[in-house]
Coordinates of all heavy atoms in Angstrom, one line a residue:
Q150 N -18.8 -25.2 -20.7 CA -17.5 -25.3 -20.0 C -17.6 -24.5 -18.9 O -18.0 -23.3 -18.9 CB -16.3 -25.0 -20.8 CG -16.1 -25.6 -22.2 CD -15.5 -27.0 -22.1 OE1 -14.8 -27.3 -20.9 NE2 -15.7 -27.9 -23.0
R151 N -17.2 -25.0 -17.6 CA -17.4 -24.1 -16.4 C -16.2 -23.0 -16.5 O -15.1 -23.2 -16.6 CB -17.0 -24.9 -15.2 CG -17.4 -24.1 -13.9 CD -17.2 -25.0 -12.6 NE -17.6 -24.4 -11.5 CZ -18.8 -24.5 -11.0 NH1 -19.6 -25.4 -11.4 NH2 -19.1 -23.9 -9.8
P152 N -16.7 -21.7 -16.7 CA -15.7 -20.6 -16.9 C -14.9 -20.4 -15.6 O -15.3 -20.7 -14.4 CB -16.6 -19.3 -17.1 CG -17.9 -19.7 -16.5 CD -18.1 -21.1 -16.6
I153 N -13.7 -19.8 -15.7 CA -12.9 -19.4 -14.5 C -13.4 -18.0 -14.2 O -13.3 -17.0 -15.0 CB -11.5 -19.3 -15.0 CG1 -10.9 -20.6 -15.5 CG2 -10.5 -18.8 -13.7 CD1 -9.6 -20.6 -16.1
V154 N -14.0 -17.9 -13.0 CA -14.7 -16.6 -12.6 C -13.7 -15.9 -11.7 O -13.2 -16.3 -10.8 CB -16.0 -16.9 -11.9 CG1 -16.6 -15.5 -11.5 CG2 -16.9 -17.7 -12.8
V155 N -13.3 -14.6 -12.2 CA -12.5 -13.7 -11.2 C -13.5 -12.5 -10.9 O -14.0 -11.8 -11.7 CB -11.4 -13.1 -12.1 CG1 -10.5 -12.2 -11.2 CG2 -10.5 -14.3 -12.5
I156 N -13.5 -12.2 -9.6 CA -14.3 -11.1 -9.1 C -13.5 -10.2 -8.4 O -12.7 -10.6 -7.5 CB -15.3 -11.7 -8.1 CG1 -16.4 -12.7 -8.8 CG2 -16.4 -10.6 -7.5 CD1 -17.3 -13.5 -7.9
T157 N -13.5 -8.9 -8.7 CA -12.7 -7.9 -8.0 C -13.6 -7.0 -7.1 O -14.8 -6.8 -7.3 CB -12.0 -7.0 -8.9 OG1 -12.9 -6.3 -9.8 CG2 -11.1 -7.8 -10.0
S158 N -13.0 -6.6 -5.9 CA -13.7 -5.5 -5.1 C -12.6 -4.7 -4.5 O -11.5 -5.0 -4.1 CB -14.2 -6.5 -4.0 OG -14.7 -5.7 -2.8
N159 N -13.1 -3.3 -4.3 CA -12.3 -2.3 -3.7 C -12.7 -2.1 -2.3 O -12.3 -1.2 -1.7 CB -12.4 -1.1 -4.5 CG -11.7 -1.2 -5.8 OD1 -10.6 -1.7 -5.9 ND2 -12.2 -0.5 -6.8
N160 N -13.5 -3.0 -1.6 CA -13.9 -3.0 -0.3 C -14.8 -1.8 0.0 O -14.8 -1.3 1.1 CB -12.7 -3.0 0.7 CG -12.6 -4.4 1.4 OD1 -13.4 -5.2 1.3 ND2 -11.5 -4.5 2.0
E161 N -15.5 -1.3 -1.0 CA -16.4 -0.1 -0.8 C -17.6 -0.6 0.1 O -18.3 0.2 0.8 CB -16.9 0.4 -2.1 CG -15.8 1.2 -2.8 CD -16.3 1.8 -4.0 OE1 -17.5 1.9 -4.2 OE2 -15.5 2.3 -4.8
K162 N -18.0 -1.9 0.0 CA -19.2 -2.4 0.7 C -18.7 -3.9 1.1 O -18.0 -4.6 0.5 CB -20.4 -2.6 -0.1 CG -21.0 -1.4 -0.7 CD -22.4 -1.6 -1.3 CE -23.0 -0.4 -1.8 NZ -22.6 -0.1 -3.2
E163 N -19.2 -4.3 2.3 CA -18.9 -5.7 2.8 C -19.8 -6.7 1.9 O -21.0 -6.4 1.5 CB -19.5 -5.9 4.2 CG -18.5 -5.2 5.2 CD -17.1 -5.8 5.2 OE1 -17.0 -7.1 5.0 OE2 -16.2 -5.0 5.4
L164 N -19.2 -7.7 1.5 CA -19.9 -8.8 0.8 C -20.6 -9.8 1.7 O -20.1 -10.1 2.7 CB -19.0 -9.4 -0.2 CG -18.2 -8.6 -1.2 CD1 -17.3 -9.4 -2.0 CD2 -19.3 -7.9 -2.1
P165 N -21.8 -10.4 1.3 CA -22.5 -11.2 2.1 C -21.7 -12.6 2.4 O -21.0 -13.1 1.6 CB -23.7 -11.6 1.3 CG -23.9 -10.5 0.4 CD -22.5 -10.0 0.0
D166 N -22.0 -13.1 3.6 CA -21.2 -14.3 4.1 C -21.4 -15.5 3.2 O -20.6 -16.3 2.8 CB -21.5 -14.6 5.5 CG -20.9 -13.6 6.6 OD1 -20.0 -12.9 6.1 OD2 -21.4 -13.7 7.6
A167 N -22.8 -15.6 2.8 CA -23.1 -16.7 1.9 C -22.3 -16.7 0.6 O -21.9 -17.7 0.0 CB -24.5 -16.7 1.7

Side-chain angles (χ1 to χ4, degrees):
Q150 304 279 342
R151 191 178 187 96
I153 301 168
V154 181
V155 181
I156 302 169
T157 68
S158 169
N159 288 325
N160 252 351
E161 292 181 10
K162 294 190 186 84
E163 288 295 326
L164 299 175
D166 289 345

